[in-house]
Amino acid sequence: MVPEARYTVPADEQLDAAYARALADGARPDVLERMKGGVTAVVGILKGSMPGPTVAFRFDMDAVPVQETDDPKHLPNMNNFRSHYPGVMHSCAHDAHTAIGLTLASKMADRNFAGVLKLIFQPAEEGVGGGARSIAEKGLVDDVSMIYCCHLTAGVEPGIIVGNMNYLATTKMEAVFHGKAAHAAGSPEKGRNALLGAASALLNIHAIPPYSKNETRVNVGILQGGTASNVVPDKARMVIETRAVTTKVNEELVERVKAIVKGSAEMHQLGHEIKIIGSAGSIIGDEKAVEIAFDAAKSLGYHTYIKEYDAPGSEDASFLIQRVQECGGKGTYLAVGSRIPNPHHSANFDIDEVALPRLTDLLWQVAMKILG
Amino acid sequence: MVPEARYTVPADEQLDAAYARALADGARPDVLERMKGGVTAVVGILKGSMPGPTVAFRFDMDAVPVQETDDPKHLPNMNNFRSHYPGVMHSCAHDAHTAIGLTLASKMADRNFAGVLKLIFQPAEEGVGGGARSIAEKGLVDDVSMIYCCHLTAGVEPGIIVGNMNYLATTKMEAVFHGKAAHAAGSPEKGRNALLGAASALLNIHAIPPYSKNETRVNVGILQGGTASNVVPDKARMVIETRAVTTKVNEELVERVKAIVKGSAEMHQLGHEIKIIGSAGSIIGDEKAVEIAFDAAKSLGYHTYIKEYDAPGSEDASFLIQRVQECGGKGTYLAVGSRIPNPHHSANFDIDEVALPRLTDLLWQVAMKILG
Amino acid sequence: MVPEARYTVPADEQLDAAYARALADGARPDVLERMKGGVTAVVGILKGSMPGPTVAFRFDMDAVPVQETDDPKHLPNMNNFRSHYPGVMHSCAHDAHTAIGLTLASKMADRNFAGVLKLIFQPAEEGVGGGARSIAEKGLVDDVSMIYCCHLTAGVEPGIIVGNMNYLATTKMEAVFHGKAAHAAGSPEKGRNALLGAASALLNIHAIPPYSKNETRVNVGILQGGTASNVVPDKARMVIETRAVTTKVNEELVERVKAIVKGSAEMHQLGHEIKIIGSAGSIIGDEKAVEIAFDAAKSLGYHTYIKEYDAPGSEDASFLIQRVQECGGKGTYLAVGSRIPNPHHSANFDIDEVALPRLTDLLWQVAMKILG
Amino acid sequence: MVPEARYTVPADEQLDAAYARALADGARPDVLERMKGGVTAVVGILKGSMPGPTVAFRFDMDAVPVQETDDPKHLPNMNNFRSHYPGVMHSCAHDAHTAIGLTLASKMADRNFAGVLKLIFQPAEEGVGGGARSIAEKGLVDDVSMIYCCHLTAGVEPGIIVGNMNYLATTKMEAVFHGKAAHAAGSPEKGRNALLGAASALLNIHAIPPYSKNETRVNVGILQGGTASNVVPDKARMVIETRAVTTKVNEELVERVKAIVKGSAEMHQLGHEIKIIGSAGSIIGDEKAVEIAFDAAKSLGYHTYIKEYDAPGSEDASFLIQRVQECGGKGTYLAVGSRIPNPHHSANFDIDEVALPRLTDLLWQVAMKILG
């Protein structure tokens, strides 16, 4: 990983606590040592017995800050494998993805194939925090001929496969306005009101026009400022996101947001900073990649094949797929059903476990179609 | 006290903890029992041996949430009487006022005077939280002929007395906007954005015009809303204050603020609440009351007599003085110097202790001029 | 026509002047008399010699307020048939539509067909001002089995036909804020500032969120208010439009706009009015109607058949087509090419005249396919 | 006059028309020739027979754009001296000031005094358009020892004299925002919306905080922008004014306004211009100047002497008085009553003519007290 390419890294104390916890849970100290500072990506490279192309699969591993349900009917509670840790839960199937990746590795361990298999275990997908970006920038997928980034999807039949999720390109930003406090009654003219700047920015960011022929979105999700009723607010902080069908239009939105934040600050003689805290590009899957996956799915009893789906969210797999494409390879995102209809990121999220061997087999067949 | 007339009462846990602390510090359980629920005002009534008018003095007792300095040169540190409790400090001289009140009581204990002395020990003056209001509404000053509410003033010579502080009438409000969360990319149209309402309210509250022939102020001191970059904010909270030279104009400002909050909420189909969390009226002292105090001051060596001072702040003594005036009595605010120039509410605030006997003597002479 | 169903009617003086001009240009006084007050729609009904279904064609007739070019290469200048009147021009082909309608009438005059032909000559299509609405509300198309509303399209080959223009539903509104003037320095508090309300409304209207799965648009196209630098503005006027793929979502946008205007007015204790000055629904053409038209087009050498086109504009033909559909009939919009690439509403707009007999023949064939 | 120091000069056609009208009305062509281009100030210098100080009086001469009333009871109608020209009227007594100046000149024509008398006839006082500024910058009052700028005041007894009008310093500005038009439905993203910038500026200008210990005012009196409901507005124009007790604070307000306009424009990538179209400083009259005038008034039967009056308006006499003071002289503004209570700038404004000889005599006595 390129550490600088990560957008958001936990505070040192948090990293240290996680490190200690992993050690206490029995992790190998020599391996842990190499992951210090949150550099936790793992790329497994399996060279086949014959020369051939390189195939990569991406498995994201990170959890989400959700407290797992106490509901006794929740399978992880019945079978006693719920999260040990309070406020942290695998509520988006990334543990399943990791298990699939490891099983796939053992299935391919005989190396009886022509080419190279790369299994990418990625941290920090949630919040598009830079996990994929820091792997891509390291050059780890530059030699890849074909990459697949997969996701289990709750509430969808295991027999359904979606070949190309048109995720939106997105950027998350944090803007801070710096003003000057003053007594609001005694000398209001000496203050520089950070909340006047922030409120103007908020209204105007939401007033950025929609783009024709391109779904676009902006949102100021958080605004916080001021300290007391009788003090001119000297600081305000906003969290903003933009999204668009294409990376290029998303970048235009980011420029517009920056201009609005800057102009709003200057209106009231405020200082300001704007920092990118997450991003993902759009994903345009290659037809060839989808075709291979659908062929593989056919022999496994998948019954529904959706070529394109307009996903309203974002995924930083974009960094890996785009890098492969820039280097001459191909790739696509793949989503497959895992049935249980509790929403992703909810406290009672779960997958139907039948999806585990199914997706493992699918990826194995995909790999063998290319490397076999 | 009329408990409902208090604007802001600490949470039950806080009250319970303070109760337990007082008990542990040796407070009499039977007295404490009567103060349960934060009803901590004390009014001492001393009847003279002869009939006559009723004179009242107000002493506020509450501390401020400030961590007292560790500076070894700070007198309370040198003489070991700094605050025992972290994050709470007598940083506005209210402990001195209380001491003066108690000393005055002992000086008058012989009851060799004609009339009645009322010593009012008031909680919750800070933040104009309703301490004085809840005492006034109880009717405790309805029979008072003359009331004085006093304050020691840092950085001013002990020889200076100010006869009438033209405090501004003020109202503090908390407004909450209730919207509806929605995924900001997936279905923004299903959301009702509380921050759009709050930001519009903020700008428009600050755009309330100034009043001719009347110093007016508005301030939105705090704005907080939203939860995450990709969620349409469903809640926002603002803390607002208004001030004006007269109570009437302040009430007009409050009406304007309410109309703006309501209109802003309706613009975006938001629910809203607006709650008054503090208030004080303007104070117009009676000339006769000032005259008596100045006469008393003369014999004590005060050298500077300021009849009127435009104070940019507010004081809920207004509730007591105004109630007395409505019932046919007279009164005024009085400020006297206490020299040490560290600002009120700062971590190293202190008074020159010479001010203690001086102000006690002044009040004693004032009382005797009326009751003697 | 139902006169009340028109959104915008010219002022009496303008109507009188147009009336006088028509008289001077040789219009029949008895016909003119029946059009007084701008009631200028004409519906021709041709009954065939045999009973059968009713087919209707809509031809719009109105001009646009554009000054026709002086360019000597502009065909109407070369052949001396440019607009006689300054500032008024047939810059959107409605004169061609009218000519086609009249020619079609003469072609069908032998009445050798089974059923009824209705030729609707419509005013006030531009600005979706209510021309079609006032005809539909009169019930004039309630008995129609099949309706076609056609338009020549500049810059597109005469051999191209578009079967269904997905026009956006739209509403145009005028909002007026009524405040109270006051001297901005002498007594600003006595004013009620209409521009504060209007500016807040403007920002918040533009901040209405986009709708998922539905192209939406809002625009405040005009804002005017205030009289002098030293007067609190007592009046402001805004012109607003909304658009959406469906009529239902457009109506939701209108409700949001109304809530914002009302809330903004109430914020500053302003009166307000909001008036609809134009509207059109979305148009969803019937497949059967498109099919008949495409069949007819084939025999005339049209070479390109586009079933659906997402038009970013709006058309009040929606009122006629929707009324027919509500009464059990079918219909569609049809656009056909007329080649010359100067944009509609430009000073040098023109059509290739070959389009005139082509579209006439097309409509004739369509009519005969149904009535023949 | 320094022509460049004028803020607002009528358009050439207007100047030419006024020139022609003056010629037709019998003005001397050689004098008119020297006033071409609106350079219409006249300064008369009368040297006394003995040396001595220089005394100046300012008389403003300009009319206001008001249509004089037709009311037969209006004295100018009864005596047939109402304004000959439609839409222009002497509705602020400047014709009276001019008459007084000329009469004073004739009274002093014997030159039997010690020193110099300067009679300044000033154009463009209304709207603080730069008349006084262009005279001051020419250096015409640099040698003046004592200057008086006078005004008759409607609705006030002729026996009342006000010695010092505390006019507010003021600046009038015109701001223009330049955006880019685009079809609001077809390609909103290509537009740059001038009205979004202007509306943000308007709200934020009104949100500039009041100044402690200094009456301040801001007002956006006019906002106009946009062309049609379906076009992204490409231009918006605002007229803004600021006022403050002191020239320095007024200049701070102007800087704040400029920052807000600039920031608002940059938010939406708009161009902008901001132009000063009028200004006046504050006026601080000298006590000595007031004293002399009051002494003179006493002998003429004035009965009320007001030393200071907080006038909520502004006057560009400030440029003349301040220039004299900077050069070591003294001066003051003087207002005297003229009784008839119709407001200044109204269609039925008038003065009681008894005020004419009274004010003439007053100024003569003032002059003689200094020069006699």
Side-chain angles (χ1 to χ4, degrees), chain D residues 84-95:
Chain D
H84 297 230
Y85 300 108
V88 182
M89 173 187 175
H90 267 301
S91 173
C92 195
H94 297 192
D95 53 345

Side-chain angles (χ1 to χ4, degrees), chain D residues 115-196:
Chain D
V116 178
L117 180 69
K118 280 201 176 179
L119 301 176
I120 300 167
F121 297 90
Q122 178 205 315
E125 188 281 323
E126 298 293 347
V128 292
R133 187 175 180 238
S134 65
I135 292 168
E137 294 207 357
K138 188 73 176 185
L140 289 168
V141 295
D142 292 1
D143 61 349
V144 168
S145 315
M146 185 69 76
I147 187 167
Y148 291 90
C149 301
C150 311
H151 213 293
L152 291 174
T153 301
V156 173
E157 276 294 292
I160 296 176
I161 180 166
V162 183
N164 199 357
M165 303 287 281
N166 295 321
Y167 281 112
L168 297 171
T170 190
T171 302
K172 323 287 186 198
M173 286 161 272
E174 185 188 55
V176 181
F177 296 82
H178 298 284
K180 216 171 105 187
H183 194 281
S187 52
E189 77 278 12
K190 291 196 184 133
R192 291 296 176 267
N193 191 328
L195 272 174
L196 282 178

Side-chain angles (χ1 to χ4, degrees), chain A residues 185-192 196-197 200-201 203-204 207 209-212 255-256 259-260 262-264 266-269, chain D residues 185-192 196-197 200-201 203-204 207 209-212 255-256 259-264 266-269:
Chain A
S187 52
E189 77 277 14
K190 292 197 183 131
R192 290 296 175 267
L196 282 180
S200 297
L203 286 172
N204 282 287
Y211 274 57
S212 58
E255 288 316 303
R256 287 200 173 206
I260 288 171
K262 183 169 183 286
S264 298
E266 289 179 356
M267 276 206 294
H268 292 286
Q269 304 168 318
Chain D
S187 52
E189 77 278 12
K190 291 196 184 133
R192 291 296 176 267
L196 282 178
S200 297
L203 286 171
N204 282 286
Y211 275 56
S212 59
E255 287 317 303
R256 288 200 172 205
I260 288 171
V261 169
K262 183 168 182 287
S264 298
E266 288 179 357
M267 278 207 291
H268 293 287
Q269 304 168 319

Side-chain angles (χ1 to χ4, degrees), chain A residues 1-4 6 38-42 123-124 130-132 134-135 137-138 140:
Chain A
M1 288 171 87
V2 177
E4 299 71 36
R6 298 172 301 173
V39 192
T40 55
V42 174
S134 65
I135 292 167
E137 293 206 357
K138 188 73 172 185
L140 288 168

